[in-house]
Amino acid sequence: MNISRAYKTELAPTTQQRDAFARCAGTARFVYNWALGFRKAEYERTKKAVGRAETQRAFGALKRGDDATWLREIPSRIPLYALLSADKAFANFFRRLKNRKNGNGKLGFPRFKARARCKASFQVWGGDVRIEADRIRLPKLGWIRLKERGYLPTEGRAVTVTISERAGRWFVAVQIDQEIDVQPAEGPAVGIDLGISALAVVSDGRRFENNKRLGKALRKLRRAQRRIARRQKGGQNRRKAVAEVAGLHYRIACLRANDTHQATAAITGARRTPAERPASIGVEDLNVSGMMKNHHLARALADANMREIRRQIEYKAGWYGSEIVTADRWYPSSKTCSRCGTLKDELDLSVRVYVCDVCGLKIDRDLNAAKNLEQLTSSTPRSGETDACGEEGKTSQSNGEAASAKQEPCLLGAARKPIPTYSVAPTQRGDRETTEYRTTNR
């Protein structure tokens, strides 16, 4: 299996190399802003959109001028990637403009990059880069030491190399095309319920607690931000206070990323044998952006990192031979009893223990939802398999959407209340195949 994997590590540049990085990042920002201004001015003049080729020709003429000798001192790939970035920004804008059907949402017209607002970064072509165990060589910048020895792979084809700055530290991210051997996982299926009190609850009983990295550091952040407000603008002490706040945010982000990687690696069985890894992983299609509109929960939801957890589970499952089954957004995993299948009409968010009125099951709410996702996942055939109706399963590693399968009903308590069962059937919505759940009472 061929994958494109990114490796990011911190650099240990000298003072001269830091200054060179700052000049390269400033050049990339200048070229990006110039491309946006050029295309905007040409459209206002001719009422026609300017393409990538014409923009590059105009920039070539600018670069050959006498007033732009400093541009020729920068590696040639840096302005080229900045022009491609501007072209991609316009392409995304025109795509959103074409797909827009109503007046809701923002079109996101490309904005100019301000030095104080945007992250300092630039890209170089991977073919011009050499990597060794403890250093990396960039064109016209020479060898730069790495703080972590042996992390960057010395084999494989490097596609792009990105140098970026954060909180006064410089990092290198190398995108490399690699070939990996994927062995199909053979372990039992599991269901994953994501939440705020716990980052993830697995149907086998494992629980990954939420360390609330942002919540624990809010007191320090408030004090550091008040120190910024008391300092005079443009002063050295204000720059030190800003750097302190940036360092706090960087530490919080690193701790949160570590928690996320630890949890997703354990869920997908990164350090297990193929026989121990879950063959299928059931997840929910959560509307995180919609939930973020609840201002009482927005900060806690952002700190829980739900979307990033699901993204990592999806790509790591592909590496380790597992398949992803995505439950529909309206699948009632929390309201359904994992033992008898009884569906509650209402279940308030404050109720953390699920109690079934039919079979008397008393279980943690998140664990009950994870078990329901596990049952849905177990009843969905894997790719290449055939279910009882003779239909081939269409669950894939790329999009994780389930094909037609049926969850058999449990007849416990059927005389007291009809028990709903959910069948998964593919439906066409737009240009992709999704799943639809139909409720039948038996």
Side-chain angles (χ1 to χ4, degrees), residues 112-379:
F112 292 99
K113 290 185 178 181
R115 179 179 179 182
R117 185 183 70 244
C118 297
K119 179 177 69 174
S121 66
F122 60 93
Q123 283 184 310
V124 296
W125 183 50
D128 297 335
V129 175
R130 288 180 56 189
I131 302 175
E132 294 185 359
D134 58 345
R135 60 179 185 171
I136 183 172
R137 186 182 184 278
L138 302 178
K140 292 189 178 182
L141 298 175
W143 290 99
I144 298 100
R145 291 188 300 114
L146 303 174
K147 283 196 173 182
E148 186 174 3
R149 180 184 177 89
Y151 175 69
L152 294 182
T154 57
E155 298 180 356
R157 188 177 68 89
V159 182
T160 57
V161 176
T162 303
I163 309 296
S164 60
E165 184 268 341
R166 182 172 183 181
R169 303 167 182 237
W170 286 94
F171 299 86
V172 57
V174 184
Q175 182 183 351
I176 296 180
D177 288 341
Q178 292 180 331
E179 188 73 25
I180 61 174
D181 181 21
V182 179
Q183 301 180 6
E186 301 174 355
V190 297
I192 311 296
D193 182 76
L194 305 181
I196 296 177
S197 59
L199 291 180
V201 176
V202 190
S203 57
D204 57 12
R206 288 178 294 169
R207 183 183 181 92
F208 300 91
E209 297 296 337
N210 185 3
N211 291 315
K212 300 178 181 179
R213 300 299 185 180
L214 178 61
K216 292 180 180 179
L218 279 177
R219 188 175 182 182
K220 289 184 179 180
L221 278 173
R222 292 191 184 103
R223 289 181 175 179
Q225 288 168 343
R226 283 198 294 267
R227 282 193 286 272
I228 294 178
R230 292 195 293 265
R231 301 294 185 263
Q232 183 177 0
K233 291 184 178 180
Q236 184 68 21
N237 289 333
R238 185 182 179 91
R239 282 193 289 270
K240 292 180 181 179
V242 171
E244 182 184 1
V245 173
L248 285 172
H249 279 293
Y250 172 69
R251 174 175 172 79
I252 293 169
C254 289
L255 291 173
R256 185 189 294 123
N258 179 71
D259 295 340
T260 302
H261 277 288
Q262 294 284 353
T264 54
I267 290 171
T268 55
R271 295 175 178 86
R272 297 185 181 182
T273 62
E276 297 173 334
R277 294 169 184 163
S280 301
I281 301 175
V283 295
E284 290 182 294
D285 182 20
L286 298 176
N287 183 15
V288 179
S289 59
M291 292 188 293
M292 288 286 290
K293 295 180 181 180
N294 183 347
H295 299 294
H296 298 285
L297 298 175
R299 187 168 62 194
L301 284 168
D303 202 15
N305 218 11
M306 288 185 180
R307 184 65 188 91
E308 178 64 15
I309 291 176
R310 178 179 168 184
R311 187 189 72 87
Q312 291 188 16
I313 289 176
E314 288 177 350
Y315 79 75
K316 289 180 181 180
W319 289 357
Y320 305 128
S322 302
E323 290 186 346
I324 298 295
V325 176
T326 305
D328 188 81
R329 185 166 293 179
W330 306 109
Y331 176 66
S333 59
S334 298
K335 297 181 181 180
T336 306
C337 176
S338 58
R339 177 188 292 175
C340 67
T342 303
L343 177 65
K344 286 182 177 291
D345 295 332
E346 296 292 338
L347 185 64
D348 194 78
L349 189 61
S350 60
V351 179
R352 305 312 304 170
V353 177
Y354 184 93
V355 179
C356 182
D357 300 330
V358 176
C359 66
L361 175 66
K362 188 175 182 180
I363 188 174
D364 179 77
R365 173 197 181 109
D366 299 333
L367 182 58
N368 177 70
K371 287 184 175 294
N372 284 322
L373 291 171
E374 177 193 356
Q375 294 174 12
L376 174 66
T377 305
S378 301
S379 63

